[in-house]
Amino acid sequence: MLYAVIDIGSTTMRMAIYQISQNKLELVHKRKYTVGLASYVQDGIMTPEGIDKACEILNKFHAFLTSFNIKNVSAFTTAALRNAKNSEEAVAKIIERTGINLHIISGDQEATYDFIAATHDLDYNDGFIVDIGGASTELIRFADSKILHKISLPIGSLALHTKYCTDFLPNEAEIAQMVAEARKIINDAEEFKNITHTEICGIGGTCKGARMLYNEMYHKPDSNDAIPVDKIPEIISHFTRGHEFSDEDITILLKTVPDRLHTIIPGLIIANELAKIVNAHSITYKDAGMREGFLYTHVIKD
């Protein structure tokens, strides 16, 4: 059976098509548009321009699925629309204009799907999972393969960039402002204080981009999934606006994170503050996320 999952995130809109056979998932096709939907939220309201952009991309997805007669489709949206004051009205307009039945996923549901996907083939049964999105960040602590604590924090890479940055890359003053906000919000998560996890399992686009940037900067093989935490401040400092960039520096950024040029440093700032709170030594990227967790929960049910 072919099954399509559409995910409207704060930074990207994605469609992934899976072949589901014998309770196994195989990704057979994916499409992504970097929209930055969170940047269309003004004074807590999703603007008509943001709704128009979401409809434009969703209609492209719908046309593609119709062309190949793929009828099993689920679509959901996370923080960009979830946190808007007019979320229900905006989603209703999108459904009316696209014919796609769009669901708002709560932060709690998002964290649960992240956990299910990240631990599906994990070789250890306790740990700490992080998913840094554009407008929210999900944290999950688990032990004995069960969730102990989960929370969705109101902080994300695109939201930080939109609030504090005046150019693609932040300067030192803007970094200091982002660090202060990230630290305050993360420190308010009482359930995650006074614990130690030497390794963080990182999922989602920010962690994927950070892994690729680290590997390129430090000449690691593409197969490497681990980022030493002590290298994160070096990366942030290296790409601070006001520093002199070489052609190699610019090439590395353009090559590894072309869709996240403006959000990768804010995302790394959040990652660095999260690593501090749990005394982590490394962040290991796992290529799994909410879409797979949704399918394991509602379609495969294993």
Side-chain angles (χ1 to χ4, degrees), residues 34-71:
T34 302
V35 177
L37 204 59
S39 64
Y40 289 93
V41 177
Q42 297 178 4
D43 298 321
I45 302 294
M46 177 58 69
T47 62
E49 292 79 11
I51 294 172
D52 289 345
K53 195 65 179 178
C55 290
E56 175 191 340
I57 304 304
L58 280 175
N59 281 324
K60 290 181 180 180
F61 289 158
H62 187 267
F64 181 89
L65 294 170
T66 300
S67 296
F68 290 94
N69 198 33
I70 298 173
K71 297 179 180 179

Side-chain angles (χ1 to χ4, degrees), residues 174-290:
E174 292 164 347
I175 287 174
Q177 290 176 309
M178 289 189 285
V179 167
E181 177 162 328
R183 187 170 296 166
K184 180 181 183 305
I185 291 174
I186 292 167
N187 284 337
D188 284 343
E190 293 291 337
E191 305 94 327
F192 295 89
K193 284 186 177 180
N194 303 316
I195 61 173
T196 297
H197 286 287
T198 57
E199 180 185 11
I200 293 174
C201 175
I203 63 176
T206 295
C207 290
K208 180 179 181 180
R211 186 271 307 241
M212 295 172 66
L213 182 58
Y214 167 76
N215 285 349
E216 190 70 21
M217 284 184 65
Y218 294 92
H219 309 291
K220 302 296 182 181
D222 293 341
S223 59
N224 175 60
D225 288 329
I227 308 168
V229 167
D230 62 4
K231 296 298 183 185
I232 295 178
E234 290 183 12
I235 299 172
I236 294 170
S237 176
H238 194 84
F239 291 106
T240 297
R241 191 171 85 248
H243 293 187
E244 188 172 336
F245 299 131
S246 66
D247 287 350
E248 182 182 3
D249 293 332
I250 297 169
T251 299
I252 286 172
L253 272 180
L254 294 177
K255 179 180 178 181
T256 57
V257 287
D259 297 333
R260 298 181 181 272
L261 293 173
H262 57 312
T263 61
I264 191 64
I265 299 303
L268 282 168
I269 288 170
I270 296 171
N272 194 47
E273 294 304 313
L274 287 170
K276 288 179 183 177
I277 200 172
V278 297
N279 302 299
H281 297 161
S282 66
I283 299 175
T284 299
Y285 170 69
K286 181 172 174 59
D287 189 14
M290 187 171 55

